[in-house]
Amino acid sequence: HVLQKCINTMQPESLQFIVDEISKQEGLVAQTARHRYGCRIIQHLLKVCPPSQFSKIAESVLEEADTLACHSFGNYAVQHLAEFGSPEHKYRLARVIERNIVGIAKSNVGGPVIQTVITHAAPADRVWVARAAAQAPQAFLALAKARLGHPCALSILDTISVREAERVSTALAEHLEELRASKFGLEVAQLLAGEC
């Protein structure tokens, strides 16, 4: 709590000692991101400091982004990097999410990560990430039925072209009743079936 208070009240240049300390030991950034309270420190640093200052932290998050994106606390560091990172960080993160879309989509916390990347990435990268999810029917189905994933499934359908959305609808046609029976999948099913 003390570090969080420091980060929220001090000027970014005065926080360099925290950035240096967390970045000094290999694996410490990822370990901190996975910690219940440590993840908040990483989030606040990514939010408050300029990308040039947190580049070492960003590199560490990017190295383990595929596993952090699926972690109950680590996913917040990935989301903050997607939101506050430099254009280069956002590009590289989008590529990691795109390559690992199936595993991330099937995790309990993957939906918000994918949605944050789609929201904050460059327009072309948004399409690539959304397309990767749309082309993996089981991953898309998992997102559509999940409490935290169904808003992401809707964002994916909103991001891809109409023709690609029709392909998703065709691929998931046999699962429409399963989606309709799901509390969270109903809206996605209605959109896929053209009922919205």
Side-chain angles (χ1 to χ4, degrees):
H1 294 312
V2 174
L3 283 177
Q4 288 179 52
K5 195 59 138 177
C6 286
I7 294 167
N8 287 331
T9 57
M10 296 170 70
Q11 294 297 314
E13 53 276 358
S14 302
L15 301 173
Q16 189 61 45
F17 77 98
I18 299 173
V19 173
D20 292 341
E21 200 58 39
I22 290 174
S23 305
K24 185 168 35 176
Q25 186 179 342
E26 189 175 328
L28 189 57
V29 170
Q31 182 181 352
T32 305
R34 287 184 183 102
H35 188 271
R36 166 175 290 185
Y37 302 113
C39 69
R40 296 177 188 167
I41 292 168
I42 301 293
Q43 290 173 60
H44 287 299
L45 287 171
L46 293 173
K47 187 175 184 178
V48 171
C49 297
S52 59
Q53 186 176 3
F54 65 65
S55 64
K56 288 181 183 176
I57 291 174
E59 289 301 320
S60 296
V61 171
L62 284 166
E63 284 175 17
E64 298 198 39
D66 58 330
T67 56
L68 288 173
C70 300
H71 189 272
S72 56
F73 300 119
N75 79 86
Y76 296 112
V78 176
Q79 289 184 60
H80 272 67
L81 184 59
E83 187 171 352
F84 301 108
S86 70
E88 174 67 15
H89 295 144
K90 292 178 181 187
Y91 170 80
R92 290 175 53 203
L93 182 59
R95 296 290 77 80
V96 170
I97 300 302
E98 178 188 357
R99 283 190 309 268
N100 298 284
I101 198 80
V102 173
I104 295 169
K106 289 183 176 182
S107 77
N108 290 335
V109 294
V113 172
I114 297 167
Q115 185 170 9
T116 302
V117 169
I118 290 172
T119 302
H120 296 286
D125 295 331
R126 292 175 189 176
V127 173
W128 282 105
V129 172
R131 216 176 256 155
Q135 292 173 353
Q138 291 304 315
F140 185 86
L141 183 63
L143 283 170
K145 294 188 326 185
R147 178 175 66 89
L148 297 176
H150 80 280
C152 176
L154 294 170
S155 291
I156 289 166
L157 292 173
D158 192 45
T159 303
I160 59 177
S161 70
V162 173
R163 195 173 87 226
E164 290 168 320
E166 288 170 355
R167 278 192 227 130
V168 171
S169 182
T170 302
L172 294 178
E174 63 188 66
H175 299 284
L176 280 179
E177 288 309 314
E178 181 183 346
L179 280 171
R180 283 189 180 102
S182 164
K183 178 179 180 181
F184 303 109
L186 179 61
E187 190 175 353
V188 177
Q190 289 172 335
L191 191 62
L192 287 172
E195 298 169 11
C196 287

